[in-house]
Amino acid sequence: MITVSLFFSFTLIGIISFFTIKKANHTLTLIFLLMLIEFFFTSFISVIVDNAKLWTVTQSTRYLIMFRVTEVVVFPLLLLWYIEMVKRGSSISKKLMITVLWVGVLVGVETILSHVHIFTYEKWKVWGSIIVWSTFLLFLYFLQDFFNKILFKEGIRK
């Protein structure tokens, strides 16, 4: 029971922290990215867990709730934080370092969830997660850049 309360406490701290920091991105960009993150990430998890059976989610109700909250809240929040941090990076080398750090954070959170037995890897290795997260972060970066260009072109952002 302690793990569940700690999990929700850290989740709430993360949500509050994200919404209190000054944003480098336009609000419309963050909303656009959140919708895309939710769509693509929940679809990816559905394919991994339900269709391909590469992960097995525990049948315990509290762990299942923790898994779903992680899927819908924690990882999207971490991905939005990544977008905020990479937007503030001034050079390509800093953005690359932020990306490598963030891949480590995301794989670390995933590994912690696996070690707590919220889910287990069946036919999956950690390097698969590194590849998926790297690709997903790169995809998000280019989508953010693309949407910001549209906002500039339309005159919404100056």
Side-chain angles (χ1 to χ4, degrees):
M1 196 58 147
I2 291 175
T3 57
V4 176
S5 62
L6 280 174
F7 172 77
F8 283 112
S9 297
F10 284 125
T11 303
L12 286 174
I13 289 170
I15 292 170
I16 292 167
S17 300
F18 178 76
F19 284 107
T20 56
I21 63 170
K22 185 176 178 182
K23 306 295 184 285
N25 280 298
H26 194 273
T27 306
L28 291 176
T29 304
L30 293 174
I31 292 169
F32 170 72
L33 290 174
L34 180 63
M35 288 189 303
L36 287 177
I37 289 168
E38 292 292 347
F39 175 75
F40 286 114
F41 188 67
T42 55
S43 299
F44 171 73
I45 292 296
S46 178
V47 168
I48 292 293
V49 172
D50 299 328
N51 297 347
K53 306 275 190 228
L54 298 175
W55 295 358
T56 302
V57 179
T58 185
Q59 296 302 317
S60 169
T61 305
R62 67 181 176 168
Y63 285 158
L64 182 63
I65 291 170
M66 287 173 64
F67 179 75
R68 295 301 175 198
V69 168
T70 303
E71 175 187 8
V72 175
V73 176
V74 174
F75 279 121
L77 188 66
L78 288 172
L79 292 169
L80 286 177
W81 248 340
Y82 162 76
I83 291 297
E84 282 296 311
M85 291 189 69
V86 96
K87 177 78 173 177
R88 293 177 188 188
S90 55
S91 65
I92 292 176
S93 62
K94 283 186 181 179
K95 291 179 182 187
L96 187 62
M97 285 179 14
I98 291 169
T99 302
V100 169
L101 172 75
W102 227 246
V103 167
V105 166
L106 293 167
V107 170
V109 170
E110 186 180 303
T111 304
I112 289 170
L113 293 175
S114 176
H115 284 295
V116 178
H117 301 293
I118 292 175
F119 67 89
T120 55
Y121 296 128
E122 295 300 323
K123 302 169 197 160
W124 189 266
K125 303 287 183 206
V126 174
W127 60 264
S129 295
I130 292 170
I131 292 170
V132 166
W133 284 120
S134 299
T135 306
F136 202 70
L137 291 179
L138 187 66
F139 178 67
L140 277 179
Y141 175 76
F142 286 121
L143 280 175
Q144 173 256 338
D145 193 43
F146 170 73
F147 195 72
N148 276 335
K149 287 179 184 176
I150 291 175
L151 290 179
F152 280 120
K153 185 177 177 183
E154 294 294 326
I156 296 172
R157 184 165 186 166
K158 297 182 189 309

